[in-house]
Amino acid sequence: MSVRTQGSAPEERVADLPDPAELVARRAGGRGAVDVRTLTRVLFERLAELPPDAPERSRVRSALIEINIPLVRYAATRFRSRSEPMEDIVQVGTIGLINAIDRFDPHRGVQFPTYALPTILGEIKRYFRDNVRTMHVPRRLQELWVQVSGAMEELTVTHGRAPKVPEIAANLRIPEEDVRACLDAGRAYNAASLEAAQEHEGGLALLDRLGYEDSALTDVEHRDMVRHLLVQLPERERRIIMLRFFANLTQSQISTELGMSQMHVSRLLSRILTRLRTGNSWEE
């Protein structure tokens, strides 16, 4: 007997339908027009009629899981940009599907896919939050990321574009700084190797594109200290230092430049360098 949709006759009872496994096989093999929503509704009705200890409950439950696996795969495609294998994500989503089946009440008038999808997505997000990250992210930001990602999807549908940080913050009524921190945390699932080649960078590794360490950085503090001491020297002594160590003149050339004997230049240089080495201010 084929399953009819909204126009089913009142006398058609769930118990008169084929075995659940036969319905699933018919759906998979394309034999007979069996709508997934209708089949799901029928199976839930049969499940509700069975006593808790009935052996058939397990077969009906398994049939519900199998025919709704496409819903799990649909939810899993939202996470295809992650580095996790798709089959692993589907497996985690199936746990959410099973939980939704066990908790679903068909008498509330809600379609099962509408009820199950948030449960499946929540299970997958929880998996990424608790098990996949290679970088430690505070739990507060992990939980906030779920809200931010949901707000982003909602605002994208509303505005027809990706939302901006102020819009997300206004929607959730949280500071913009929290949204930015959350967006950074939401991307922190895997640590990239510095030595791994980047295809979009012409095969260069991240390490090849990092700045190098300037060997002169170690001398910055020394240069600053020397500059501080030089400004304390009298004009003549400061000029001698500048000519000797910055202009690279010899003592003979300095004596000619300043009009004094080379011996005097040598004595002054000795005294100046002694003061500079000890870090004391100049005193005549």
Side-chain angles (χ1 to χ4, degrees), residues 9 22 35 39 45 54 69 72 94 107 112 114 118 126 139-140 160 187 189 200 216-217 231 243-245 268 273:
E22 180 184 342
D35 177 70
L39 180 54
E45 290 177 2
I69 284 294
V72 177
T94 304
H107 301 295
F112 178 70
T114 304
R126 190 177 302 110
R139 179 167 291 275
R140 183 184 71 85
R187 305 183 187 101
Y189 286 97
H200 60 282
L217 287 176
V231 297
L243 291 174
R244 179 67 184 91
F245 296 101
L268 286 174
L273 295 177

Side-chain angles (χ1 to χ4, degrees), residues 133 135-146 148-149 152 165-166 168-169 172 174-189:
R133 296 180 186 271
M135 300 177 64
H136 174 72
V137 175
R139 179 167 291 275
R140 183 184 71 85
L141 290 179
Q142 294 181 27
E143 295 173 350
L144 185 60
W145 167 245
V146 177
V148 169
S149 59
M152 290 173 63
V165 170
I168 300 173
L172 297 175
I174 60 176
E176 294 182 17
E177 292 75 12
D178 286 355
V179 175
R180 293 189 180 93
C182 187
L183 291 174
D184 290 338
R187 305 183 187 101
Y189 286 97

